[in-house]
Amino acid sequence: MALAEAKQSATEARLAAMSLPEGGCLAAARQAALSRVQTLGLPGRRDEYWKYTRPDKLTSAEVSKAAVFASDEEPMFSEFDRLKIVFVDGVYNAEASDDLSLEGVQIDRIADICCQDIHWAKDLYGVLEARGQSPVARPLAALNTAFAQDGVAIHVTGKPSKPINLVYVHSDEASDAILHHVIRVEAGAEATILENGPAASRFNKCMEIDIADTGKLHLVRAQGRDHERRAATHLFARLGSESVFKSFTLTVNGILTRNEAVVEILGGDAIAHIAGACVGDGEFHHDDTVFITHDAVNCESRQVFKKVLRNGATGVFQGKILVKEGAQKTDGYQISQSLLLDDDSQFLAKPELEIYADDVICSHGSTTGAIDEEALFYLRSRGVPAHEATDLLTLAFLAEAVEEVEDQSIADAIVARLEGWLARRR
Amino acid sequence: MLEIKNLHVKLEDEDKQILKGLDLTVEAGKVHAIMGPNGSGKSTLSYVLSGRDGYEVTDGSATLAGEDLLELEPEERAALGVFLAFQYPVEIPGVGNMTFLRTAVNSQRKARGEEELSAADFLKTIRAKAKELKIDADMLKRPVNVGFSGGEKKRNEILQMAMLEPKMCILDETDSGLDVDAMKLVAEGVNALRDEGRGFLVITHYQRLLDHIKPDVVHILAGGKIVKTGGPELALEVENNGYAGILAEVS
Ligand SMILES: Nc1ncnc2c1ncn2[C@@H]1O[C@H](COP(=O)(O)OP(=O)(O)OP(=O)(O)O)[C@@H](O)[C@H]1O
Ligand SMILES: [Mg+2]
């Protein structure tokens, strides 16, 4: 079917400004992704999947400038022993990065793979993204596959002794970064990946994660505190039997952030948890779009998303659990909640269940609320000042999402950042 | 200690007068009990003294050790020494009981310009006091009042009171929902706090609590006013004859 004219011209305008990087063994994947973008067209305001979030700032040919955020804090995760891989405005920076060798994991740059004729990543790069284009199109992810300048391929074959930390640094006011990472976790292997930092003025990031039977991956990312960020991120994960994938995202500030997570559970007894906590103040629009497909028996999935919004901030949640025929004994849970700290903010939610198996437990819920006045008075009557009591209740609201982070010291670090954010707003 | 004069209170959102010229003085070191029919305004009095929203004071005054309470925020009243044991303690999911109490104790100390209690000292104190009230360690770790039984909630109120060491303790039907043993525990907790510098206002429907917490003075609150004041024998009279006789006599 031909694209609508407006979509066609917007897509052409965006593509005209870009050229495919050198491909090597990824050339075919990039070329195929480019065709997908041309066929699907970039997201437009009329698209149902973009009903609550205007994609213009993410798709425009020109990138508008964004001030480089000067933080008074140490970057997140600095206190942990980790293997650091740094990208400045979307380009790998060897000097700022640690040596990439670590037992139990093989790490290569996508830019290097592009010069090689053969590499394991060729069987993953663009593959999960392509699968994730149906039943809902995700053209920004295809655009990413085609044009990503950099990224890493992480092959987890053992249990690396420390987390791998992808650190994003923003230095150029007009940077328009596209990063693509692929991660393969082998049977019995287990790793933790951390991501943090304001990446660029505009950031398009795609991560494809393939977890073999019994493999485990923990992903914890922190977006922020840059205010002028426009970011579209995609997470595509495929899970084998008895595998575990847990993802948590902290989002602080940002004009526009759209985080899509597309998880396909293909092996029995697997577990997928996708969680997020975001806090926004004023010019803030945050969209979590999640699609979890159960295509195996006896699997568990959880989606836990909490949003704290104030001063006209907007939160969006679109979450779906699809249980395919035969995926019996599925345990699917989804909760999305917002805490509005004033009357100007809004939360838009579209929770969906689509179930084709009869022996499953699936629940979903979505709520919007304000601070509980009864609880607030109770705390104040014990001597806790109003602002502190409000912060306590706000952190309590976010707790269910933060609890999804398994490592206690990382969870504590996240709570500390949330406390800081609240304290700066007293 | 607590001095209430001609207190008139109406609901903020409705044209409904609840307290209609209430006078009451509680001296330091004394226990005053308030009894009265349902809906007579006992809880309203306790809320107005602790600073809850929704009520409008249209006349009169309330002071604690000479300080005007009615002008202050709830947390300021707490730091001055006002404590209300709620008739219906509030559940707060996600906030640990221990965190809550430590924040409360230290907020009050900070407001009074005192040094904060160290984590170790706090822990030692709370463990000892919890033990006396038969509150187990597990309850301290759980979110405030969440999943607590009615009796456990009331004991938790008394634990908070013991930790905060307020000057003016207002207990709103702390005996309701308690079994006989729990009532004794609560009464012991209260009696342990009885002190020359501390006043108590105990709201109750039943004489039984007053067997354990011996009041110095008993008031009858009806129709938004104190209609009769007497000694402990007044509580006995209510227990035996109800309010009908007393109300007929004063009207
Ligand atoms: N927030 C409110 N909204 C509406 N009515 C109220 C409110 N607070 C109190 N009232 C009314 O004011 C009157 C006094 O209530 P209050 O709770 O003070 O009574 P009480 O003496 O404590 O009764 P009880 O013995 O049943 O606890 C009642 O008629 C009650 O319905
Ligand atoms: Mg009452």
Side-chain angles (χ1 to χ4, degrees), chain A residues 116-401:
Chain A
Q116 297 173 15
D117 292 334
I118 189 145
H119 192 274
W120 66 266
K122 133 181 183 308
D123 297 326
L124 184 53
Y125 189 95
V127 172
L128 299 189
E129 174 262 299
R131 285 179 74 94
Q133 296 295 346
S134 114
V136 195
R138 306 171 200 281
L140 284 170
L143 185 82
N144 181 302
T145 301
F147 296 101
Q149 306 123 330
D150 220 325
V152 279
I154 301 175
H155 192 190
V156 186
T157 51
K159 295 186 175 175
S161 59
K162 53 185 168 187
I164 295 153
N165 188 184
L166 305 172
V167 179
Y168 306 122
V169 179
H170 180 201
S171 80
D172 177 355
E173 284 193 342
S175 53
D176 191 11
I178 305 182
L179 282 181
H180 195 115
H181 308 300
V182 289
I183 299 164
R184 161 102 186 145
V185 182
E186 295 299 341
E190 178 171 4
T192 297
I193 301 208
L194 308 173
E195 285 184 280
N196 66 287
S201 301
R202 180 164 70 181
F203 190 33
N204 181 331
K205 194 198 68 189
C206 185
M207 190 179 258
E208 294 178 281
I209 299 169
D210 193 17
I211 309 181
D213 298 351
T214 71
K216 282 187 188 165
L217 188 75
H218 305 268
L219 174 66
V220 181
R221 38 181 197 174
Q223 300 174 311
R225 285 161 52 195
D226 50 332
H227 291 277
E228 296 180 27
R229 171 184 70 249
R230 278 94 58 193
T233 77
H234 287 84
L235 203 68
F236 296 95
R238 177 166 66 185
L239 275 68
S241 60
E242 290 174 53
S243 67
V244 175
F245 175 49
K246 293 191 178 175
S247 154
F248 173 86
T249 306
L250 167 72
T251 307
V252 176
N253 306 338
I255 285 181
L256 174 59
T257 309
R258 162 106 159 189
N259 291 333
E260 294 193 26
V262 184
V263 179
E264 204 180 359
I265 307 178
L266 294 180
D269 300 292
I271 295 173
H273 292 189
I274 311 292
C278 81
V279 289
D281 182 0
E283 207 184 336
F284 173 89
H285 183 108
H286 181 89
D287 177 335
D288 284 299
T289 290
V290 183
F291 198 117
I292 296 186
T293 304
H294 282 262
D295 198 3
V297 294
N298 208 28
C299 295
E300 173 194 312
S301 74
R302 277 173 74 81
Q303 301 173 40
V304 182
F305 287 87
K306 302 265 187 164
K307 295 176 166 58
V308 173
L309 306 166
R310 49 176 277 166
N311 273 330
T314 299
V316 175
F317 176 79
Q318 304 189 100
K320 178 153 182 171
I321 306 174
L322 168 63
V323 181
K324 289 202 169 172
E325 208 180 321
Q328 302 295 11
K329 306 280 181 205
T330 288
D331 180 357
Y333 173 76
Q334 179 196 89
I335 182 93
S336 66
Q337 295 182 304
S338 73
L339 175 65
L340 306 184
L341 295 179
D342 52 47
D343 295 336
D344 303 332
S345 303
Q346 61 170 345
F347 177 54
L348 306 158
K350 190 178 172 196
E352 279 183 287
L353 287 179
E354 196 177 330
I355 301 175
Y356 298 101
D358 50 16
D359 185 14
V360 303
I361 309 168
C362 280
S363 67
H364 66 167
S366 183
T367 64
T368 297
I371 287 280
D372 179 352
E373 291 295 331
E374 290 271 322
L376 187 63
F377 173 64
Y378 191 69
L379 291 170
R380 295 179 69 189
S381 79
R382 298 304 183 242
V384 184
H387 57 84
E388 217 170 304
T390 305
D391 288 2
L392 262 180
L393 294 173
T394 304
L395 289 171
F397 165 79
L398 292 167
E400 189 190 356

Side-chain angles (χ1 to χ4, degrees), chain B residues 83-245:
Chain B
F83 180 91
L84 167 63
F86 283 57
Q87 182 172 3
Y88 305 106
V90 181
E91 298 187 6
I92 312 183
V95 178
N97 217 2
M98 201 81 124
T99 312
F100 160 58
L101 258 172
R102 222 183 123 201
T103 311
V105 168
N106 283 332
S107 298
Q108 291 202 14
R109 286 179 162 242
K110 219 158 103 186
R112 291 195 291 258
E114 299 165 10
E115 211 174 308
E116 292 189 12
L117 208 57
S118 76
D121 285 344
F122 173 81
L123 215 62
K124 217 172 91 188
T125 316
I126 196 166
R127 282 207 180 120
K129 300 204 188 239
K131 201 171 158 200
E132 283 166 20
L133 287 160
K134 298 222 164 75
I135 290 176
D136 59 35
D138 180 54
M139 258 170 73
L140 291 177
K141 282 189 211 134
R142 270 156 52 191
V144 180
N145 293 326
V146 176
F148 287 26
S149 74
E152 285 171 341
K153 284 180 183 167
K154 295 299 176 78
R155 274 185 279 151
N156 199 27
E157 294 291 288
I158 301 304
L159 174 66
Q160 292 170 36
M161 190 167 87
M163 289 302 294
L164 293 167
E165 300 182 329
K167 283 201 194 117
M168 183 64 224
C169 308
I170 305 164
L171 283 73
D172 190 0
E173 294 196 30
T174 300
D175 52 338
S176 66
L178 292 183
D179 64 37
V180 182
D181 294 332
M183 170 128 41
K184 272 194 193 138
L185 277 177
V186 162
E188 278 164 22
V190 172
N191 289 331
L193 281 169
R194 286 183 80 156
D195 181 276
E196 277 179 14
R198 189 170 284 134
F200 286 87
L201 192 58
V202 179
I203 298 170
T204 183
H205 286 294
Y206 305 105
Q207 156 64 28
R208 203 169 51 176
L209 179 69
L210 303 179
D211 284 341
H212 299 290
I213 307 174
K214 297 250 172 350
D216 298 294
V217 185
V218 176
H219 307 274
I220 307 297
L221 173 56
K225 281 188 200 177
I226 301 292
V227 295
K228 190 166 182 180
T229 297
E233 72 288 348
L234 191 52
L236 273 174
E237 189 187 334
V238 170
E239 182 89 355
N240 294 330
N241 307 325
Y243 293 109

